[in-house]
Amino acid sequence: MNVELFNHGLQVLGDTAASQQLEQFKVYAQLLVEWNQKMNLTAITDADGIAQKHFLDSILPLYYVDIPQGARVADIGTGAGFPGLPVKIMRPDLSLTLMDALNKRITFLKTVVAAIGVDDVLCIHGRAEEFGKKKEFREQYDFVLSRAVANLRVLCEYCLPFIKVGGRFIALKADGVDEEVNAARPMIGTLGGKLEKVIDAPLPGTEIVRKLVVIKKEKSTPPQFPRRPNKIQ
């Protein structure tokens, strides 16, 4: 990881990282590169790319959305831990659940969590459409984050069942998300959500502008959701 680039990005965002946090990011980056040689975790493995397109990109929501101390956060379809784990490193007070359908990725994440020494992180191998129906997970989270998993309409059905009434879903999306947002509106309403805002979040040191789609959970999700994957699609 390019520490200089990361620190400069944090400066632009009006933040700094303690030496322990920088060390955690370095260990995470090292493990990401090592494990990526034996399994497909990411296409981005260069030091600059990891600093900007993985770590800085993942933590953008922290600077645009107020996430209270001690909030319960879930990252659904986390992959190699993005955006959830970088958010946790920057905000150790948060309680984090990382969920992915591929067990190999969960094994990787457990290794990272142990190596960097963060606590209150639950790594779960499972499918959102199954765990979203379990009472110990359904409507238990203040915030759900998701990055680059699926089309927004589909993503909402996977993620909104996990969120408490009054909580929020933050989807990290790319430019040109307006069409996706419009197509997802009816489903957002059906699931008990309401589109709050779409935030332009420039990624420091790049030309990229990340779109943060913020959806507020206004009422409980009807019990038939989430449906089976073929129905969702």
Side-chain angles (χ1 to χ4, degrees):
M1 175 185 87
N2 185 330
V3 176
E4 225 169 282
L5 207 56
F6 182 71
N7 276 331
H8 179 259
L10 280 181
Q11 231 172 341
V12 172
L13 293 166
D15 202 357
T16 56
S19 55
Q20 183 195 355
Q21 289 167 312
L22 291 174
E23 194 50 47
Q24 288 171 322
F25 277 117
K26 282 196 273 189
V27 172
Y28 188 176
Q30 195 182 332
L31 287 167
L32 182 70
V33 173
E34 280 173 21
W35 279 64
N36 202 57
Q37 290 168 353
K38 51 187 175 182
M39 58 187 276
N40 182 26
L41 287 166
T42 175
I44 299 165
T45 53
D46 62 292
D48 292 6
I50 289 173
Q52 287 174 319
K53 292 177 182 170
H54 283 326
F55 294 162
L56 285 171
D57 184 47
S58 290
I59 64 174
L60 283 175
L62 293 175
Y63 306 98
Y64 294 91
V65 181
D66 178 30
I67 301 179
Q69 285 282 314
R72 278 196 85 185
V73 179
D75 177 359
I76 306 296
T78 184
F82 308 122
L85 206 42
V87 164
K88 172 71 177 174
I89 293 172
M90 291 305 294
R91 285 283 305 275
D93 62 284
L94 301 174
S95 167
L96 178 67
T97 298
L98 299 169
M99 186 177 292
D100 200 87
L102 206 63
N103 200 28
K104 285 192 295 189
R105 291 190 194 125
I106 293 299
T107 304
F108 163 72
L109 291 170
K110 284 178 177 173
T111 305
V112 175
V113 165
I116 66 177
V118 285
D119 55 11
D120 204 2
V121 179
L122 187 60
C123 300
I124 294 176
H125 168 229
R127 296 188 168 277
E129 67 272 14
E130 290 167 16
F131 277 77
K133 296 222 166 178
K134 293 180 187 238
K135 68 173 191 298
E136 63 268 40
F137 295 97
R138 189 177 181 88
E139 301 195 334
Q140 295 299 312
Y141 293 91
D142 303 298
F143 288 84
V144 168
L145 307 172
S146 201
R147 183 181 93 150
V149 174
N151 169 286
L152 188 64
R153 185 184 58 77
V154 170
L155 204 50
C156 284
E157 187 163 347
Y158 284 136
C159 295
L160 278 167
F162 288 93
I163 303 166
K164 291 175 184 173
V165 173
R168 281 166 180 79
F169 172 40
I170 307 170
L172 286 76
K173 287 285 183 178
D175 215 1
V177 75
D178 300 351
E179 207 175 298
E180 238 183 273
V181 168
N182 287 330
R185 276 177 195 272
M187 182 49 90
I188 292 170
T190 301
L191 294 162
K194 184 188 178 188
L195 180 71
E196 199 166 59
K197 51 192 167 184
V198 179
I199 302 165
D200 287 358
L203 182 58
T206 74
E207 300 294 303
I208 299 165
V209 178
R210 173 63 80 188
K211 301 281 184 175
L212 305 177
V213 181
V214 184
I215 294 164
K216 186 176 181 184
K217 182 81 169 272
E218 296 205 311
K219 51 184 195 286
S220 275
T221 301
Q224 68 268 36
F225 297 103
R227 297 166 295 173
R228 294 194 308 276
N230 60 338
K231 279 265 192 254
I232 294 174
Q233 297 297 339

